[in-house]
Amino acid sequence: AQTVTQSQPEMSVQEAETVTLSCTYDTSESDYYLFWYKQPPSRQMILVIRQEAYKQQNATENRFSVNFQKAAKSFSLKISDSQLGDAAMYFCAYRSARRPDSGYALNFGKGTSLLVTP
Amino acid sequence: ETGVTQTPRHLVMGMTNKKSLKCEQHLGHNAMYWYKQSAKKPLELMFVYNFKEQTENNSVPSRFSPECPNSSHLFLHLHTLQPEDSALYLCASTRGTGTYNEQFFGPGTRLTVL
């Protein structure tokens, strides 16, 4: 089974600064998808950004970007110009592209709690 | 608002009670999921339904019983639970069977087993 590791239980960033959350994963597959989800205190999990493994170009969504290093099996999330509303739990997730038995479910890391200070 | 609702939002039950969690999605999705979120642990997949058919049971104890009467509704029936079953239970749905399809999550049900 694929495992996803987020080595930073907590991170802190000052408003308007940049922060990077790390994620590594273990897989023997070559085709897969990676996601970052955000779970604010209200608990509704929402998708932040996603990356296809076959794409070399790093995904970007406004202030959020990823650094995808396939050989290193690393998928970090960079948040630029941090805002108070970015405070939340951030989960890295992996989905296999070729395992229909799994129902295309996600494998999650334990999460990183991001605190944004004024 | 992601279009996935869950009720109740909070539930406290004794070990001998029987209760049910409900999930409803208004997005026209075909696949629905139950996840368990415990403190300091990754989200754990419990069940997957695709077009109302259960496609995965991730070694979940039989005291959890899912039901999917149609593509819009998913239930999790609970009976004789243990205190270690206390957790946040999240429902999610996706548009289809494609691997790239985004999973939309509900707000969760916070379950406490006394």
Side-chain angles (χ1 to χ4, degrees):
Chain A
Q2 291 78 15
T3 56
V4 178
T5 301
Q6 294 178 250
S7 59
Q8 308 152 315
E10 294 178 351
M11 290 284 285
S12 180
V13 64
Q14 207 160 13
E15 206 173 359
E17 297 296 309
T18 295
V19 64
T20 298
L21 308 184
S22 65
C23 172
T24 58
Y25 56 94
D26 182 27
T27 184
S28 59
E29 299 176 335
S30 60
D31 195 14
Y32 50 87
Y33 300 90
L34 296 165
F35 304 82
W36 277 99
Y37 277 85
K38 170 185 177 181
Q39 187 179 38
S42 66
R43 298 176 301 176
Q44 197 103 25
M45 189 95 70
I46 56 174
L47 179 67
V48 175
I49 198 166
R50 58 187 164 196
Q51 174 84 41
E52 301 102 311
Y54 63 85
K55 287 189 176 179
Q56 293 185 339
Q57 186 173 7
N58 290 323
T60 299
E61 289 287 342
N62 300 315
R63 298 183 294 107
F64 298 88
S65 62
V66 299
N67 183 5
F68 174 49
Q69 302 290 328
K70 191 172 184 180
K73 298 179 183 176
S74 171
F75 182 61
S76 61
L77 173 69
K78 185 171 83 172
I79 306 174
S80 304
D81 185 25
S82 297
Q83 301 174 359
L84 295 177
D86 294 333
M89 282 292 289
Y90 285 82
F91 293 94
C92 179
Y94 172 105
R95 174 188 280 176
S96 171
R98 294 176 183 176
R99 286 184 58 198
D101 289 347
S102 73
Y104 306 112
L106 296 167
N107 290 326
F108 285 88
K110 290 184 179 182
T112 296
S113 177
L114 179 65
L115 175 66
V116 182
T117 57
Chain B
E1 175 57 52
T2 63
V4 181
T5 58
Q6 289 186 243
T7 54
R9 294 292 300 272
H10 301 271
L11 178 63
V12 179
M13 59 187 290
M15 289 191 286
T16 58
N17 293 157
K18 289 185 179 181
K19 297 287 184 183
S20 296
L21 310 184
K22 180 182 176 182
C23 174
E24 184 173 0
Q25 56 93 3
H26 311 276
L27 301 168
H29 290 173
N30 299 318
M32 298 186 76
Y33 310 76
W34 279 117
Y35 288 90
K36 176 183 179 182
Q37 185 177 21
S38 304
K40 303 192 184 302
K41 293 177 67 176
L43 272 77
E44 302 170 59
L45 176 68
M46 300 177 72
F47 301 103
V48 181
Y49 277 82
N50 192 23
F51 288 96
K52 302 186 297 178
E53 297 297 321
Q54 186 180 121
T55 58
E56 182 154 346
N57 174 340
N58 201 25
S59 302
V60 179
S62 59
R63 57 185 184 270
F64 294 91
S65 175
E67 178 189 2
C68 188
N70 54 61
S71 295
S72 299
H73 294 85
L74 183 65
F75 294 90
L76 187 63
H77 303 300
L78 317 171
H79 64 98
T80 59
L81 294 191
Q82 305 298 311
E84 59 265 28
D85 296 324
S86 298
L88 182 66
Y89 289 84
L90 293 170
C91 174
S93 68
T94 55
R95 176 165 51 86
T97 57
T99 57
Y100 196 68
N101 291 324
E102 175 185 350
Q103 286 197 12
F104 289 82
F105 284 83
T109 295
R110 172 67 64 187
L111 174 67
T112 302
V113 181
L114 301 176

